[in-house]
């Protein structure tokens, strides 16, 4: 069921004009829903929208935050004549609003402000907003998704109010009825909801005067300010608890484990690693700080340095699209071992060699043809492999290979994390032969 949203305000802010001092901005869209009245719009005493015609929906405009005085006069009227509508209000920084010049239920022209909800929607969803800004009594609205049982219902929506719901993208039909009756006011109206967008419908004009109509506005919904973090445990023989910003995030985290991506809000994070079951207030084995930015895809790896000292390193995962029948290979040297050379062979042919990769560093090969390969790791400049295995590289997939553990004590391991770059599908652990 659609939920009630922001009510209409009696006065509003319109266009940018001299006198707005704030440096931060908000976004404004203007809708003219008063039938039969072409107007001039003055902001802070300056003519800003001359000959503004009914049924017009302006584009979104970024304006300085601040205070504004608005006066609306019939087109061509003297600038000092009595305005038909007047008001003043403040535009807040970061706000996204729609201004509607419309009729009240009794037909009186007025101004109204609707705050647009820019909160994130789930993948594949959009948002529908219906606003009652027409000279008409309260209404009921029914919305049905085509080829689906999805039904939405708004009851007793009165002039000056709106309602909204997050829905799956697709095609919809809508009907408007007099509140509490089956008397149809409008419909069926065909709607197309795009994922990641808000579709706002404004009922304007007058039912009695025969000027009733629906105006629409589309707003892109910004993606959530989040990033993805994968955590890799490459320290042998130590089960740990991982704390993030003081809260236990990964209990009993065992060596040679790679987590699924963890979605985190953009921001700064403190990471503390303690032996599994240790007191949360005890001194951690390892600590680190990390900054997650919107859209980041990061790997946070607990591993050994070349001399065997535990540490935490962060890497940015390249998960940009990979062409069809091509793959990406990223090798990260995070083991207690000197510099290494990494050889990649396909059947009998050497495809490439990554030379002199030191602890804490990575090397990357792009555009590899999908198929079976042999990956071998050698001491830098040496001929005797310390590791060799077959790896199947699949189409449009990025493979992150972690060399962890210690050569000296026999705990050396290679961990593989495979990320499907198309449609963000993910599989774990690669394909070893």
């Amino acid at each position: 069921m659609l939920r009630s949203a922001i009510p209409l305000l009696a006065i509003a802010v319109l266009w940018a004009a001299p006198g707005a001092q704030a440096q931060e901005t908000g976004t404004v869209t203007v809708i003219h829903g008063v039938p039969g009245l072409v107007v001039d719009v003055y902001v802070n005493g300056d003519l800003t929208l001359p000959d503004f015609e009914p049924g017009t929906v302006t584009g979104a405009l970024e304006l300085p935050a601040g205070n504004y005085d608005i006066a609306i006069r019939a087109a061509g009227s003297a600038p000092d004549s009595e305005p038909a509508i007047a008001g003043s209000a403040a535009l807040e920084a970061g706000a996204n609003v729609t201004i509607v010049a419309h009729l009240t239920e009794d037909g009186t022209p007025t101004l109204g402000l609707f705050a647009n909800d820019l909160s994130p929607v789930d993948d594949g969803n959009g948002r529908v907003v219906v606003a009652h800004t027409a000279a008409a009594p309260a209404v009921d609205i029914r919305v049905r998704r085509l080829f689906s049982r999805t039904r939405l219902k708004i009851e007793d929506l009165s002039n000056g109010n709106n309602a909204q719901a997050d829905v799956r993208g697709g095609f919809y039909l809508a009907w408007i009825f007099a509140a509490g009756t089956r008397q149809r006011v409008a419909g069926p109206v065909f709607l197309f909801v795009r994922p990641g967008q808000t579709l706002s419908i404004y009922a304007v004009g007058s039912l009695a005067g025969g000027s009733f109509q629906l105006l629409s506005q589309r707003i892109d919904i910004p993606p959530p300010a989040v990033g993805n973090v994968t955590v890799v445990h490459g320290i042998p023989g130590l089960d740990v608890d991982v704390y993030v910003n003081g809260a236990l995030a990964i209990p009993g985290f065992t060596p040679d484990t790679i987590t699924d991506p963890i979605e985190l809000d953009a921001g700064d994070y403190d990471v503390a690693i303690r032996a599994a079951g240790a007191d949360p207030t005890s001194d951690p084995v390892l600590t680190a700080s990390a900054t997650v930015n919107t859209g980041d895809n990061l790997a946070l790896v607990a591993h050994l340095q070349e001399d065997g000292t535990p540490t935490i390193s962060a890497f940015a995962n390249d998960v940009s699209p990979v062409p069809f029948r091509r793959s990406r290979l990223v090798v990260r040297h995070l083991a207690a071992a000197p510099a290494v050379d990494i050889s990649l062979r396909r059947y009998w042919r050497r495809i490439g060699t990554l030379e002199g990769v030191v602890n804490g560093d990575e090397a990357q090969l792009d555009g590899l043809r999908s198929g079976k390969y042999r990956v071998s790791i050698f001491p830098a400049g040496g001929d005797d492999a310390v590791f060799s295995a077959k790896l199947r590289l699949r189409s449009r997939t990025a493979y992150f290979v972690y060399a962890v553990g210690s050569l000296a004590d026999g705990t050396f391991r290679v961990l593989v994390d495979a990320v499907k770059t198309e449609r963000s599908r993910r599989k774990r652990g690669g394909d070893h032969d």
Side-chain angles (χ1 to χ4, degrees):
M1 177 153 181
L2 286 152
R3 63 183 184 274
S4 294
I6 306 297
L8 183 69
L9 301 182
I11 52 178
V13 56
L14 286 177
W15 217 254
Q21 301 297 321
Q23 297 303 308
E24 294 184 283
T25 63
T27 301
V28 174
T29 300
V30 186
I31 295 177
H32 188 346
V34 179
L37 180 63
V38 181
V39 298
D40 293 336
V41 179
Y42 291 79
V43 179
N44 290 348
D46 294 325
L47 178 59
T48 307
L49 285 175
D51 299 323
F52 193 38
E53 296 190 357
T56 301
V57 180
T58 71
L61 184 68
E62 188 172 303
L63 310 177
N67 298 316
Y68 296 86
D69 294 323
I70 305 102
I72 297 179
R73 298 177 172 89
S77 297
D80 57 354
S81 64
E82 187 71 18
I85 309 172
S88 61
L91 176 65
E92 295 183 359
N96 186 304
V97 300
T98 298
I99 308 305
V100 187
H102 70 98
L103 301 177
T104 63
E105 181 176 342
D106 65 6
T108 304
T110 189
L111 285 178
L113 170 68
F114 290 91
N116 296 311
D117 183 359
L118 298 183
S119 61
V121 293
D122 294 337
D123 287 344
N125 280 7
R127 180 168 291 137
V128 175
V129 179
V130 181
H132 184 344
T133 50
V139 297
D140 297 336
I141 301 170
R142 303 289 184 269
V143 181
R144 175 170 63 84
R145 190 172 190 266
L146 293 182
F147 315 115
S148 170
R149 294 183 178 181
T150 301
R151 302 286 191 275
L152 303 174
K153 181 170 61 175
I154 312 168
E155 294 182 330
D156 201 30
L157 183 66
S158 59
N159 183 284
N161 289 281
N162 65 359
Q164 70 180 48
D166 294 351
V167 298
R168 285 173 55 87
F171 297 97
Y172 289 80
L173 291 175
W175 294 263
I176 303 175
F177 301 91
T181 76
R182 299 301 293 177
Q183 178 186 347
R184 186 183 302 180
V185 174
V189 179
F190 186 75
L191 308 177
F192 177 56
V193 179
R194 293 191 179 98
Q197 279 192 343
T198 292
L199 172 61
S200 296
I201 305 297
Y202 293 87
V204 299
S206 169
L207 274 180
S211 57
F212 180 87
Q213 64 174 316
L214 300 176
L215 304 177
S216 64
Q217 174 193 13
R218 291 188 181 273
I219 304 171
D220 290 330
I221 300 173
V226 299
N228 287 319
V229 177
T230 299
V231 185
V232 182
H233 188 347
I235 300 175
L238 180 63
D239 292 355
V240 299
D241 293 335
V242 180
Y243 290 80
V244 177
N245 286 350
L248 179 58
I250 311 176
F253 194 35
T254 58
D256 303 339
T257 301
I258 302 174
T259 70
D260 288 324
I262 301 168
E263 191 174 87
L264 296 175
D265 293 335
D268 297 325
Y269 292 87
D270 294 321
V271 179
I273 296 178
R274 297 179 172 86
D279 189 305
T281 62
S282 62
D283 290 338
V285 177
L286 291 171
T287 61
S289 297
T291 298
V292 178
N293 297 308
T294 300
D296 277 352
N297 191 303
L298 306 177
L300 197 63
V301 189
H303 67 97
L304 300 178
Q305 299 181 68
E306 181 177 342
D307 63 4
T309 304
T311 191
I312 299 176
S313 296
F315 296 89
N317 292 329
D318 183 356
V319 293
S320 58
V322 177
F324 180 58
R325 293 184 179 176
R326 298 289 174 174
S327 307
R328 175 179 297 128
L329 179 66
V330 181
V331 181
R332 292 166 175 165
H333 180 356
L334 303 172
V340 298
D341 296 336
I342 302 163
S343 172
L344 186 68
R345 288 181 176 271
R346 180 175 170 85
Y347 303 116
W348 62 89
R349 294 187 297 113
R350 185 187 297 272
I351 302 301
T353 300
L354 306 171
E355 297 181 343
V357 183
V358 299
N359 182 282
D361 203 356
E362 65 178 355
Q364 179 168 322
L365 290 171
D366 268 308
L368 298 171
R369 187 179 299 277
S370 303
K372 293 182 179 180
Y373 290 82
R374 178 168 290 278
V375 181
S376 300
I377 300 177
F378 303 85
D383 297 321
D384 297 326
V386 297
F387 173 84
S388 184
K390 290 181 180 180
L391 180 67
R392 182 188 299 274
L393 302 183
R394 297 196 180 275
S395 175
R396 291 174 171 167
T397 303
Y399 289 83
F400 301 94
V401 177
Y402 298 88
V404 298
S406 171
L407 280 176
D409 64 11
T411 59
F412 180 86
R413 297 284 186 275
V414 170
L415 311 177
V416 181
D417 189 23
V419 179
K420 192 75 171 176
T421 60
E422 183 186 33
R423 299 178 184 174
S424 300
R425 292 195 300 262
R426 186 181 187 88
K427 65 176 295 182
R428 182 63 55 198
D431 298 289
H432 297 279
D433 293 338

